[in-house]
Amino acid sequence: AASDVYKRQVVILSTEDGSVNVRAGNGTQYAILRSAKAGDTFNYVATASNGWNAVEIDNQVGWVSGRYSKII
């Protein structure tokens, strides 16, 4: 759809160890779906009250800490 062009995205920010875990929920207690690296971008879904960002990843929703990601 044409509207997809206007979708917001989330970009992964750099961290000391170079990668960020994308998790099944909005906290470190949730399972890791995969890791992402600085500069990776994903379609934005939502932001939780604790600041974690939900993104589309591998045809599902994953969550990234707001400390390591930014909505663009």
Side-chain angles (χ1 to χ4, degrees):
S3 61
D4 289 350
V5 174
Y6 303 107
K7 280 187 108 165
R8 297 168 84 185
Q9 293 198 305
V10 171
V11 63
I12 302 302
L13 306 175
S14 61
T15 61
E16 287 107 49
D17 67 359
S19 68
V20 173
N21 292 320
V22 181
R23 294 182 178 270
N26 61 330
T28 54
Q29 71 271 33
Y30 292 94
I32 296 169
L33 299 177
R34 58 168 274 197
S35 66
K37 60 186 186 303
D40 286 352
T41 57
F42 303 99
N43 286 333
Y44 171 76
V45 177
T47 301
S49 57
N50 66 353
W52 283 58
N53 292 314
V55 298
E56 286 179 28
I57 188 166
D58 302 332
N59 296 315
Q60 59 185 320
V61 174
W63 292 85
V64 185
S65 171
R67 285 177 56 195
Y68 305 121
S69 60
K70 182 176 72 171
I71 301 162
I72 54 173

